[in-house]
C-alpha cells in the first residue's frame, strides 16, 4: 500500500464503459499510465495519470490519503453557509487543507422558475466536523447525471469517528413538537422540500431566499412553485411570526424558520405567536459509527465492481471519491479539463476508480465544477485545468488535513 504512494506505476488495461454516441471501448482501447507520486504532507500523496481512449487523451489528478496515519484527517469544506458558494482553492486555503476536491452537485440555476433565486445549496446530506448541516432533497429535485437504479439523494461518502472512510446513506429523522401535537419534519436546510412537507432552516442556511424550497415536486424539478405556503419563525422556543410566503435573510442565533408547503403549510398556519415549539432532528446513517464528515454524491463502485445501470454514453470531465483497504485509504480524483483532452462516461469513471484501487466509489459534481488542489503554508494550488477556463464557485469540497 505505502509503496504505491512513492513509486512509478505502469497500469494495465482499463476496460472502458460506453463511448459517446453509443460506441463501446474494448480491452485494447485503453491503457492507464500513472506518473510517480509525491508526498504533499505526511500521509497524503499527489500524482497524475493519463489514459488514451479512441476519442482522445484523458488526463487525471489523484490524491491518495492514508487514514491509518493518525496525523491525517478529512472534513467538509464549505463557505460558512449551506446556501453559498466559493472556489475550492479559497475553501482549502482558508482552512489550511493540504488537498481538496469539489463535492456535491448543487442548485446551480433556476431557469424553470423565473424570479426565483438559485440557492447554490447542495443536493445531498452534509456533515462538517460532526455538525449535521443539511438533509437531502427529493430524488426528482436533484441536479447532475442520472443516478443508477437503487441510488438516492441520501447517498454519501464520509469518514466516521472510527477514522475509516465509507459509503453510507443519511436519512433525516425529525419532528416539530407543538402544543397541538407532533408534526413530521421533512427537510433541514434544503433547497427543495417534499410535497406536503415541513422544513427547518437554521443560521447555517445563510441569507439566500427560502422560496426555492416550495418549487417543483418530488418527481419534477421544473414543476411550478406551490401557491400554498407558510413560513413560521421560532425564537428561543416560541413562535414570533407566521407569514404566507417564504422569506430571505439570515436566521438569527437562537432561532429556526419553518417552511411548509401544501399540507405542511396548512398545519403550520395553525400555530400562533407565543406558542411553544420545539424541534428535534438528526441524520441517521447505516454504518458502524457516526460520520464526522459526509458529502453527497451517488455510488458508482461497490465491492470492487461498477454498479449496474451506470450511464455509458455521456462524456464529461468528472470528479470522484473512493475508498480502499477497508476504509483506511481515501482516493480523491478529478479529471483535467484542458482543451484537447476528453472526459469519461460515468461507467468509464467507475472502471477507472477500480483501477486506481478503490473498492467503493462515488461520483461527485463534474464538468466546470471539477477541481483538485494541493495546499501548503503559502496557499492552495489548482492542479487540474477546470473545463470552464477558471474555477467555478461550489457549495462544498472534501478537504484533507495533515498535522505533520
Amino acid at each position: 500500500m505505502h509503496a504505491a504512494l512513492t513509486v512509478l506505476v505502469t497500469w494495465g488495461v482499463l476496460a472502458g464503459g460506453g463511448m459517446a454516441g453509443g460506441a463501446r471501448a474494448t480491452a485494447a482501447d485503453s491503457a492507464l499510465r500513472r506518473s510517480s507520486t509525491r508526498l504533499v504532507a505526511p500521509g497524503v500523496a499527489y500524482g497524475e495519470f493519463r489514459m488514451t481512449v479512441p476519442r482522445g487523451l484523458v488526463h487525471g489528478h489523484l490524491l491518495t490519503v492514508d487514514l491509518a496515519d493518525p496525523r491525517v484527517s478529512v472534513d467538509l469544506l464549505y463557505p460558512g453557509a449551506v446556501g453559498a458558494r466559493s472556489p475550492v482553492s479559497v475553501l482549502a486555503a482558508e482552512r489550511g487543507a493540504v488537498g481538496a476536491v469539489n463535492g456535491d452537485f448543487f442548485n446551480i440555476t433556476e431557469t424553470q422558475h423565473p424570479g426565483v433565486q438559485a440557492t447554490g445549496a447542495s443536493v445531498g446530506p452534509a456533515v462538517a466536523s460532526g455538525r449535521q448541516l443539511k438533509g437531502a432533497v427529493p430524488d426528482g429535485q436533484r441536479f447532475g447525471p442520472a443516478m443508477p437504479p437503487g441510488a438516492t439523494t441520501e447517498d454519501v461518502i464520509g469518514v466516521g469517528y472510527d477514522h475509516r472512510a465509507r459509503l453510507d446513506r443519511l436519512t433525516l429523522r425529525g419532528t416539530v413538537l407543538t402544543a397541538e401535537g407532533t408534526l413530521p419534519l421533512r427537510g433541514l436546510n434544503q433547497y427543495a422540500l417534499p410535497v406536503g412537507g415541513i422544513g427547518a432552516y437554521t443560521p447555517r442556511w445563510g441569507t439566500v431566499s427560502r422560496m426555492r424550497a416550495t418549487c417543483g415536486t418530488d418527481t419534477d424539478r421544473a414543476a411550478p412553485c406551490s401557491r400554498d405556503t407558510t413560513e413560521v419563525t421560532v425564537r428561543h422556543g416560541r413562535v414570533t411570526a407566521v407569514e404566507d410566503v417564504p422569506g430571505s435573510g439570515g436566521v438569527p442565533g437562537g432561532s429556526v424558520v419553518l417552511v411548509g408547503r401544501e399540507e405542511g403549510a396548512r398545519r403550520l398556519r395553525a400555530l400562533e405567536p407565543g406558542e411553544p415549539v420545539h424541534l428535534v432532528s438528526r441524520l441517521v446513517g447505516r454504518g458502524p459509527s457516526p460520520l464526522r464528515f459526509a458529502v453527497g454524491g451517488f455510488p458508482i463502485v461497490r465491492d470492487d465492481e461498477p454498479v449496474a445501470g451506470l450511464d455509458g454514453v455521456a462524456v464529461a470531465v468528472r470528479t470522484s471519491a473512493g475508498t480502499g483497504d477497508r476504509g483506511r485509504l481515501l482516493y480523491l480524483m478529478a479529471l483535467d479539463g484542458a482543451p484537447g483532452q476528453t472526459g469519461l462516461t460515468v461507467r468509464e469513471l467507475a472502471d477507472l476508480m477500480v483501477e486506481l484501487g478503490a473498492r467503493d466509489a462515488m461520483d461527485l459534481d463534474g464538468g466546470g465544477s471539477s477541481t483538485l488542489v494541493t495546499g501548503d503554508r503559502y496557499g492552495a494550488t489548482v492542479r487540474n485545468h477546470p473545463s470552464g477556463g477558471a474555477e467555478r464557485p461550489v457549495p462544498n469540497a472534501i478537504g484533507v488535513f495533515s498535522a505533520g
Side-chain angles (χ1 to χ4, degrees):
M1 176 186 70
H2 294 285
L5 302 182
T6 57
V7 301
L8 176 66
V9 179
T10 301
W11 294 85
V13 170
L14 178 68
M19 302 291 105
R24 295 273 172 182
T26 67
D29 287 332
S30 307
L32 185 67
R33 299 176 303 280
R34 184 174 173 181
S35 68
S36 59
T37 61
R38 68 177 184 84
L39 289 176
V40 297
V44 184
Y46 163 72
E48 299 179 52
F49 61 85
R50 286 173 172 79
M51 178 173 65
T52 302
V53 296
R55 61 181 176 272
L57 175 69
V58 177
H59 178 194
H61 303 258
L62 179 70
L63 287 170
T64 305
V65 183
D66 183 2
L67 293 173
D69 190 323
R71 296 168 292 184
V72 174
S73 62
V74 178
D75 202 1
L76 188 76
L77 306 178
Y78 73 108
V82 169
R85 297 195 288 155
S86 187
V88 176
S89 63
V90 174
L91 295 174
E94 288 177 345
R95 287 282 303 275
V98 298
V101 297
N102 64 288
D104 200 358
F105 303 92
F106 61 96
N107 176 207
I108 190 172
T109 182
E110 277 305 320
T111 55
Q112 308 97 332
H113 306 114
V116 176
Q117 177 186 10
T119 66
S122 61
V123 168
V127 179
S129 301
R131 298 187 302 272
Q132 299 185 346
L133 301 182
K134 66 179 300 293
V137 303
D139 287 352
Q141 292 267 19
R142 65 182 295 275
F143 289 75
M147 297 187 295
T152 84
T153 54
E154 295 180 346
D155 287 316
V156 298
I157 187 168
V159 177
Y161 284 91
D162 59 358
H163 217 58
R164 295 291 180 264
R166 69 176 190 264
L167 272 56
D168 205 338
R169 185 169 287 180
L170 293 178
T171 302
L172 178 67
R173 307 292 187 197
T175 55
V176 181
L177 306 176
T178 74
E180 286 76 27
T182 299
L183 310 180
L185 186 71
R186 303 290 304 282
L188 174 64
N189 292 329
Q190 296 167 204
Y191 71 76
L193 295 174
V195 172
I198 295 171
Y201 295 82
T202 72
R204 294 187 178 121
W205 169 251
T207 62
V208 294
S209 172
R210 296 173 289 275
M211 176 64 74
R212 175 60 184 83
T214 61
C215 298
T217 68
D218 299 357
T219 58
D220 184 3
R221 192 181 73 203
C225 300
S226 175
R227 295 184 178 181
D228 186 3
T229 63
T230 303
E231 179 171 283
V232 172
T233 302
V234 179
R235 182 164 177 80
H236 298 308
R238 293 195 176 270
V239 175
T240 60
V242 180
E243 307 288 347
D244 291 333
V245 179
S248 60
V251 178
S255 299
V256 63
V257 172
L258 302 175
V259 174
R261 55 179 299 177
E262 297 88 34
E263 178 61 22
R266 290 189 283 277
R267 300 189 73 175
L268 287 182
R269 276 198 294 272
L271 300 178
E272 297 181 356
E275 184 173 341
V277 170
H278 181 63
L279 182 71
V280 177
S281 71
R282 63 191 181 105
L283 295 173
V284 179
R286 292 155 174 77
S289 69
L291 291 173
R292 185 179 182 276
F293 143 77
V295 68
F298 63 85
I300 58 173
V301 176
R302 289 189 184 276
D303 299 325
D304 297 316
E305 293 290 341
V307 302
L310 296 175
D311 177 67
V313 176
V315 173
V317 176
R318 311 234 179 235
T319 303
S320 181
T323 71
D325 192 26
R326 292 177 294 180
R328 294 181 178 89
L329 287 177
L330 178 66
Y331 302 98
L332 303 177
M333 191 284 304
L335 296 182
D336 204 288
Q341 295 171 169
T342 187
L344 295 173
T345 68
V346 177
R347 173 53 201 250
E348 289 172 330
L349 178 67
D351 289 331
L352 169 63
M353 293 304 291
V354 171
E355 285 291 324
L356 292 175
R359 179 173 175 81
D360 300 298
M362 299 282 280
D363 182 41
L364 302 175
D365 192 12
S369 297
S370 286
T371 309
L372 185 146
V373 308
T374 59
D376 55 29
R377 67 179 183 273
Y378 301 109
T381 301
V382 179
R383 293 297 177 180
N384 69 325
H385 296 84
S387 61
E391 280 190 86
R392 172 187 287 169
V394 295
N396 54 40
I398 302 174
V400 182
F401 303 86
S402 177

